[in-house]
C-alpha cells in the first residue's frame, strides 16, 4: 500500500575517489557548486517537495556536513554586528531548512548498504531517497512528480534519463514497458553497469527514488554484487521482477538538467551553468567565457 511520504534519506558516505585529493578530508557532497555545497541543493529539493524530516547517512569526515547544517554562532554574531543581513541569511538558511538527523554508515559497503542504515529511522513507511552528490535543476519538479506517481500506483519509483549509448555502462539501466503516460514506464528489470552493447534500454537510473519500505527486507538479503558492494540496483531488480512483493517498480522519465557532481567534468559543467544563470555572477562570467573560448 502506498503511504504519504514524509521522510527523505540522503546518503553522503561514499569515498568520492573520483575526486581525490579534494575528497581526502572533505565529503564530495560538500564541494561548492558556485557558492553552495552540493548537498544543500539536494536538501532544498527535498524540502521544496514537502519533505522536512531528513536522514543523512554520513561516513568518515562527517563533521563538515553536520556543521554546515548546524548553527555557527561566531559567524552569526560577527555578521549581526556588521548589520550584514544578506550574508547572515546565507549562514542561517541551511540551519533552518529541515529537521535533519544523522546516522553513520560505518564501512562504505555500497549504496544499498547505506540505504539499509535508514531502516530504523524510516520504519514501515515509503520514503524518498536523494543521492547527495546528484543535483537536479532547481527549476524542475521531478521529485514532486515521482511522489505523485508513487501515490497513484503504490509502486516504488525510480528516476530515469536517456543517456548516450557509450555512457550507459556507468549506470544502472532499466528494462521497461511503456504505459499510457509519456513520462512513466513500468520497470521490469535492471542491470547495474552493463557491458558495452549489453544495455537493455537507453534509460539510466539517476539519483532520485521513492521507495516502499519492503526494500529494506530485500536489501538485507542482498549479497554483495559488483565491486564487493551491496548494490541498491540489485535489490530494486528483485522488486521490479515480482510485483507481488510491493507492487513493483515504475520509472519517471526526466528530461531536464541533472549534474553528477561526483564526476569532475560534470561538476565543472554544474558550476559554470548554474553560475551563468545567477544575476550576481552570470553577466560577468558569460562575457569572460565568450572571450576565453574565442581565444582558444
Ligand atoms: P557513488 O558511487 O557516486 O559514490 O555513490 P562513491 O563511491 O563515493 O564514488 P567514487 O566512485 O568513489 O568517486 C552515490 C551516492 O551514494 C553515496 C555517496 O556518498 C553518493 O552520495 N554512497 C555510496 C554512500 O553513502 N555509501 C556508500 O558506501 C557508497
Amino acid at each position: 500500500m502506498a503511504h504519504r511520504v514524509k521522510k527523505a534519506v540522503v546518503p553522503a558516505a561514499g569515498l568520492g575517489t573520483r575526486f581525490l585529493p579534494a575528497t581526502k578530508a572533505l565529503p564530495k557532497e560538500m564541494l561548492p557548486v558556485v557558492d553552495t555545497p552540493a548537498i544543500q541543493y539536494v536538501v532544498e529539493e527535498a524540502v521544496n517537495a514537502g519533505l522536512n524530516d531528513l536522514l543523512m547517512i554520513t561516513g568518515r569526515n562527517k563533521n563538515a556536513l553536520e556543521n554546515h547544517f548546524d548553527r555557527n554562532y561566531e559567524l552569526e554574531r560577527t555578521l549581526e554586528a556588521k548589520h550584514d543581513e544578506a550574508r547572515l541569511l546565507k549562514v542561517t538558511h541551511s540551519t533552518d531548512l529541515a529537521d535533519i538527523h544523522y546516522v553513520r554508515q560505518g564501512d562504505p559497503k555500497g549504496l544499498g548498504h547505506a540505504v539499509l542504515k535508514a531502516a530504523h529511522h524510516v520504519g514501515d513507511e515509503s520514503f524518498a531517497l536523494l543521492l547527495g552528490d546528484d543535483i537536479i535543476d532547481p527549476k524542475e519538479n521531478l521529485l514532486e512528480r515521482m511522489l505523485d506517481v508513487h501515490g497513484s500506483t503504490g509502486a516504488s519509483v525510480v528516476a530515469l534519463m536517456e543517456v548516450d549509448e557509450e555512457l550507459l555502462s556507468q549506470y544502472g539501466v532499466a528494462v521497461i514497458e511503456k504505459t499510457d503516460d509519456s513520462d512513466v514506464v513500468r520497470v521490469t528489470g535492471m542491470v547495474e553497469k552493463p557491458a558495452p552493447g549489453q544495455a537493455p534500454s537507453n534509460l539510466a537510473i539517476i539519483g532520485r527514488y521513492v521507495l516502499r519500505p519492503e526494500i529494506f527486507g530485500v536489501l538485507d538479503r542482498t549479497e554483495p554484487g559488483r565491486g564487493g558492494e551491496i548494490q541498491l540496483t540489485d535489490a530494486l531488480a528483485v522488486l521490479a521482477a515480482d510485483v507481488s512483493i510491493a507492487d513493483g517498480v515504475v520509472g519517471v522519465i526526466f528530461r531536464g538538467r541533472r549534474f553528477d557532481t561526483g564526476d569532475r567534468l560534470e561538476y565543472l559543467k554544474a558550476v559554470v551553468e548554474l553560475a551563468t544563470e545567477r544575476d550576481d555572477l552570470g553577466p560577468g562570467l558569460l562575457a569572460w567565457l565568450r572571450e576565453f573560448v574565442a581565444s582558444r
Side-chain angles (χ1 to χ4, degrees):
M1 207 195 89
H3 301 261
R4 199 173 79 76
V5 177
K6 298 188 287 280
K7 293 176 182 164
V9 173
V10 180
L15 292 178
T17 56
R18 285 169 295 166
F19 234 117
L20 283 168
T23 47
K24 185 177 173 193
L26 188 77
K28 64 176 164 180
E29 290 80 3
M30 283 302 295
L31 291 172
V33 176
V34 191
D35 51 12
T36 303
I39 191 109
Q40 187 174 322
Y41 291 84
V42 176
V43 172
E44 284 172 356
E45 182 188 339
V47 171
N48 289 338
L51 310 177
N52 293 307
D53 178 333
L54 204 135
L55 178 72
M56 210 170 275
I57 320 281
T58 62
R60 30 159 230 129
N61 307 328
K62 67 161 188 165
N63 291 356
L65 281 163
E66 289 200 8
N67 290 344
H68 182 70
F69 293 100
D70 201 352
R71 301 289 299 266
N72 184 327
Y73 292 105
E74 193 187 2
L75 254 180
E76 286 177 33
R77 269 198 293 273
T78 308
L79 293 168
E80 268 161 15
K82 289 186 183 169
H83 304 290
D84 191 340
E85 300 298 331
R87 291 198 173 103
L88 181 61
L89 193 64
K90 287 185 186 194
V91 172
T92 54
H93 174 68
S94 57
T95 314
D96 300 334
L97 259 178
D99 183 11
I100 305 185
H101 309 262
Y102 299 89
V103 64
R104 288 291 280 254
Q105 186 182 1
D107 292 330
K109 290 195 238 160
L111 178 56
H113 182 251
V115 173
L116 254 184
K117 297 289 168 188
H120 182 68
H121 182 84
V122 168
D124 191 25
E125 296 172 24
S126 296
F127 63 102
L129 176 70
L130 297 88
L131 301 196
D133 59 348
D134 229 5
I135 296 185
I136 300 291
D137 186 342
K139 296 194 228 25
E140 301 283 350
N141 60 354
L142 171 63
L143 191 55
E144 283 97 326
R145 175 73 181 131
M146 294 173 73
L147 291 168
D148 281 351
V149 171
H150 174 70
S152 59
T153 61
S156 294
V157 185
V158 296
L160 299 172
M161 249 185 128
E162 286 181 9
V163 163
D164 290 341
E165 172 104 39
E166 66 274 16
L167 297 177
L168 281 168
S169 57
Q170 298 173 16
Y171 291 90
V173 180
V175 187
I176 57 132
E177 282 167 10
K178 291 195 168 156
T179 71
D180 294 339
D181 277 329
S182 64
D183 68 333
V184 179
V185 290
R186 172 128 317 254
V187 177
T188 57
M190 274 168 231
V191 183
E192 180 65 22
K193 301 194 168 72
Q198 305 288 306
S201 73
N202 68 344
L203 290 171
I205 301 164
I206 58 168
R208 296 294 180 271
Y209 309 79
V210 178
L211 299 174
R212 288 268 298 256
E214 288 85 345
I215 192 76
F216 295 123
V218 179
L219 275 170
D220 217 15
R221 294 187 292 275
T222 302
E223 294 291 326
R226 230 188 141 83
E229 297 189 336
I230 299 179
Q231 300 286 352
L232 178 64
T233 310
D234 290 344
L236 277 170
V238 173
L239 291 191
D242 184 354
V243 288
S244 72
I245 303 176
D247 295 324
V249 177
V250 294
V252 167
I253 301 175
F254 178 60
R255 298 194 167 89
R257 284 186 310 173
R258 166 251 178 191
F259 303 100
D260 171 8
T261 64
D263 174 88
R264 289 169 305 164
L265 184 59
E266 286 269 311
Y267 170 81
L268 292 170
K269 289 181 191 171
V271 173
V272 173
E273 281 201 32
L274 295 177
T276 54
E277 289 163 17
R278 290 257 302 246
D279 292 339
D280 52 349
L281 296 165
L285 178 61
L286 262 179
W288 175 80
L289 267 176
R290 287 200 183 95
E291 263 178 47
F292 177 72
V293 171
S295 71
R296 291 284 114 179

